[in-house]
Each structure stands twice: as C-alpha cells, then as structure tokens.
Amino acid sequence: MSVDAPTFSPLYRQIKDLMIQALEAGEWRPGQLIPSEQELAARFSVSQGTVRKAIDELAAENLLVRKQGKGTYVASHHDPRALFRFLRLVPMDGDLAHPESVPLECWRAKAGLEAARMLGIRQGDLIIIVRRILRFSGDPVVVDEIYLPGEIFQGLTLEMLQDWRGSLYSLFETRFGLRMIRAQERLRAVAADRGTAEILKVKEGKPLLSVERVTYTYGDKPVEWRRGLYLTDDHFYLNELN
Amino acid sequence: MSVDAPTFSPLYRQIKDLMIQALEAGEWRPGQLIPSEQELAARFSVSQGTVRKAIDELAAENLLVRKQGKGTYVASHHDPRALFRFLRLVPMDGDLAHPESVPLECWRAKAGLEAARMLGIRQGDLIIIVRRILRFSGDPVVVDEIYLPGEIFQGLTLEMLQDWRGSLYSLFETRFGLRMIRAQERLRAVAADRGTAEILKVKEGKPLLSVERVTYTYGDKPVEWRRGLYLTDDHFYLNELN
DNA sequence: AAGTGGTCTAGACCACTGC
DNA sequence: CAGTGGTCTAGACCACTTC
C-alpha cells in the first residue's frame, strides 16, 4: 500500500526550487531586483521560456513581482499593497483609512502545549508574546495576542514595536530577515471576556470574531501564531471565493 | 484626468473570451470534454501555445479542468471536490463527514431594497427565498436563508430541493443551467436570535458566525444572495491566505 | 537606443490515458 | 498504438521603462 513518490519533476520546477533557495539564503533580498530572465537562463543553462515558467509560479505565489520594462523584484511587506494581503477586515462604509497598530505589551514566556504545537517548537521553549490593538480612524477594533518563537525573534522589545512605522510583518522582514509567505486562519464567533470588552469599549459577552492565524515562512515553517478578536459592528471580514 | 481604457488585449485573452462565450452559450456543458488544443488552435487560427495560455487562465479560474492524457473538461459542481470550494466550515476534530442539507421552507416574495441591490434586480421584482439547515453528523450547525432572483429560478419548489441528492449548486447547474463561478463572503459575529437559537439548540444571544455570500455567474452577474449563521462550537471557518 | 518582461509561433519530445 | 495534455527550446516581435 505504499504511495509512489512523484517520480518526475519538470525542469522549470527544479529551477523554481533553486530560485527559492536563492531567496531563502538571502542572495536576493526583499524589494530588490533579481537578475533578468536572460541572465537566469544562462546561469541555469536552460531556455528563457523555462525560467519564465518558474518565475510565473513564484509570482503567482507572491514571492516575486514582475514589472514590465523594469524587471522582476522580490516581494516585500514594505509594499503598501502587501498590507491587506493578510488583513481581511474592511470598514462597512468604504472608509479606506489605514489601520493604526498600537502595541501594548511584550513579554517572554515558556511555550505551553498549544503554542508549541502551533509553532512547531518544544514545550517549554522560549516564546515572545505581544499584545496590541488595531485602530480604524481612532476606534479600537481588534485586540491581537501574538506568539513568536524566541529563537527567531531574539531582541524584540516593546519599544522596537512602538517606534516602528509600518506593518508588523515589515518590521519582522527588516529586523529579523523573516519573510511571511502564507497563512492559515480559523474563524469562530465568541463572547467578549472582561478584559477584551474593556479595551474594545463594549459589554462583556458581546459577540466577537475570533481569528486564529498561523503564519508560515519558507519551507512551510510556522513562525507566528496569533489570535485576534475583531469587533464587527462597523467592519466585516471580507473573503473572496474563487 | 481621463483614464485610458486598456489599449491592448493579447491574442490569448481574446481566445479566452471566445471560449467563455462558448461556455456561457452552453456549447460546452458542465462535465463535458471540450475540443483538444489542436482543434481549438485550428478553429481560432492561432498556435497551440496561444490556446494553451487561454486554457491555463480558465483552469486557474476553475472554469475548466485539465486531465493529462484525456483532455480538458468543463468544471461541474457535481464533482465532489467542488463542494468545499465555497463551504469553508470544517469540524474541529478532523471529522470528514459530508454535511447534510435539510431544506425547511421555500416561498415567493418581492425583493426589498437590500435583496434588490445585492442581486442586481429592481425593488419589487419576484424573488424566491429558501431556508435550510446544514447538519454535520446529525447535528444542526448552519441555518441558511437564500435569496434567488425569481426570473432565473422559475419553478423552484421545496419538493425539488428535498428530493435532490447533492449540493445546492449542482441542482442549480442541472435544473437551471446556472454555473456559479465565484463568490464574495462578508463575515461578522452576531448574537443568535430566538428562532435561530431554537433550530441550533443553543441559548438566545449565543455568538454565531454570520456569513453573507453573494455568488456570481458568468460576466460577474450576481445570482444568489445568502446569509448563513454558523455555530462555531465544534467547527470553524477555515481560510487560506496566499 | 538599449534593456526588460510579454506575446506568439513552430516544432520536438515526454507523460499519461485508453483502446 | 494513437491521441491528449505537459515540457522545452529557439527565435521573432511587441509593450513598457529608462537613459
């Protein structure tokens, strides 16, 4: 009853893997221009069309960004368009104001059973926990609790978070060389506990949208686990089903 | 300050549009095999590679399904894999039992302001409303209220819904020739009202996940508006962010 | 004008399916 | 074996950006 391993890997996929290695190794950094298709074709000794197909897939996975006439760039969370790739919360009245992140706390702890499982580390390993709120045009709408593996995020402090202008992930990218590739979210409806209710200025028991997210970097390695509680009176979570 | 219309449309995209027309006109029906790439290349007087790129995009949009060695098929909601394309609710304990749909009511009404706006019809136009529940291994988990334009769904009855084995969309496909292409969902957390609470066997005020969905057919035409209330004690809404 | 990605073609060969 | 989609190549030309 053994299942055969895939016995055939097309050339363009091998090239793609080589390019992922180059990205992972930091040879090409976020925001930078990578070599032209012609150069890559020469480097890997394949035709331009083959490199092209590899880049096509990497662009579809949001690892690279093509710009006609200019070249191909490594995707970066500094790009303002990247912000809403993971944040699906939208104001009900087309108000496009960017949310403002307000870090509240940042402390060290030992990983419990659940955090360890979600982050792929051992129970008892050092983790860093961040609490922050997200405000839309001044009003607190989201309370986030973010669990990070201590090994990767050594040196992260509340000050660092508070001083940073930009998204969390753009900070992670520049300070820790971490690229967030994809994420998985599990949504449920829950009742607001006392503390959360106070922060969001609602009554205890208020229905909130609970969003648990595990975020992965290269090689499907989990590097962030967070739980957000969203107040959905004036906002909703928008999801496109294709 | 005028914005230029896209002044250039590549050949493969024109071919793609022609193929969408063939799908829309019913020349190729769900589940059927379409002509081979060679035949299509001859029919449209382009190279196979150009047809290929058109099909690539249609396959990426889930309108077509390629099967190596066999040919290219028109996607169908009869395909069991299609079921979970739109239903993102997953049991917390990897229980893969398929949900069971239980239609409760089906009646005619005139479209109110909101239904008319969502369905792109005029206020007062005939609509059909369906109420049903979804059960996972016997337990009611979802209450759906579904609004359909009367013009398209003439003749839909509760009996028809109850007799049907399979998903709603597969019924719509065979009985009304309607292909659901994509959908948009807006999620919020709400408190259970009296009636819903009774059906789901929970207390009034229980936090529920409200899922509003607008579903589109060819040409981005909305043809269904539904609101579901999901009980998320033993299930969650799973979303992949890529 | 030079360099980039984007399109289009034609042909060869590979992998998979069904007869 | 023939027919299908899948891969790979080489070359020509187009559209966009920059100098």
Side-chain angles (χ1 to χ4, degrees), chain A residues 89-98 136-137 234-236, chain B residues 186:
Chain A
L89 201 63
V90 173
M92 298 188 74
D93 305 324
D95 187 354
L96 291 182
H98 272 217
F136 282 74
S137 25
D234 302 316
H235 301 74
F236 53 80
Chain B
R186 292 156 197 255

Side-chain angles (χ1 to χ4, degrees), chain A residues 19 23 28 32-36 39-40 55 64 71-74:
Chain A
M19 292 180 69
L23 288 165
W28 307 324
Q32 280 186 352
L33 188 63
I34 73 169
S36 74
E39 287 176 280
L40 291 171
I55 295 181
L64 297 177
T72 302
Y73 295 79
V74 181

